Amino acid sequence: MPNIGAPGYILLIILALLLFGPNKLPELGRAVGRTFREFKNGARDILSEDERTGGKESKDSVVQASQTTPSEVQTQPEDKRLS
């Protein structure tokens, strides 16, 4: 991938100023920064949640499913419209 270089960045800045105007650019920059920050915090929360549980939930659900008796399983009523 070729490098953009200084002339490319200058062209992008001029293009952004023409499209959005000088008053909208700071607002757009703040919005992009907030979006990245929220994404980063969400990813950090998910990773820390996984580390705390350590995969314990998946093991517990398998054990509970294997201990279920047939009387605890609810049967669905038969749909007689299809017959």
Side-chain angles (χ1 to χ4, degrees):
M1 177 185 243
N3 292 335
I4 294 177
Y9 285 120
I10 292 171
L11 183 62
L12 286 174
I13 291 170
I14 291 171
L15 184 65
L17 282 171
L18 289 175
L19 287 175
F20 300 111
N23 295 332
K24 274 287 194 199
L25 282 179
E27 293 174 29
L28 289 172
R30 278 191 290 273
V32 168
R34 259 186 248 119
T35 303
F36 282 136
R37 192 176 320 116
E38 288 178 18
F39 178 78
K40 185 174 150 183
N41 290 339
R44 185 179 301 135
D45 289 344
I46 290 172
L47 290 175
S48 66
E49 195 172 291
D50 285 344
E51 288 174 0
R52 278 186 273 140
T53 59
K56 185 179 178 184
E57 292 174 358
S58 62
K59 292 176 186 175
D60 289 343
S61 62
V62 169
V63 170
Q64 287 176 353
S66 65
Q67 293 175 349
T68 305
T69 61
S71 62
E72 293 174 349
V73 177
Q74 295 178 351
T75 58
Q76 296 291 329
E78 218 175 286
D79 193 4
K80 299 191 179 201
R81 292 178 287 173
L82 297 176
S83 330

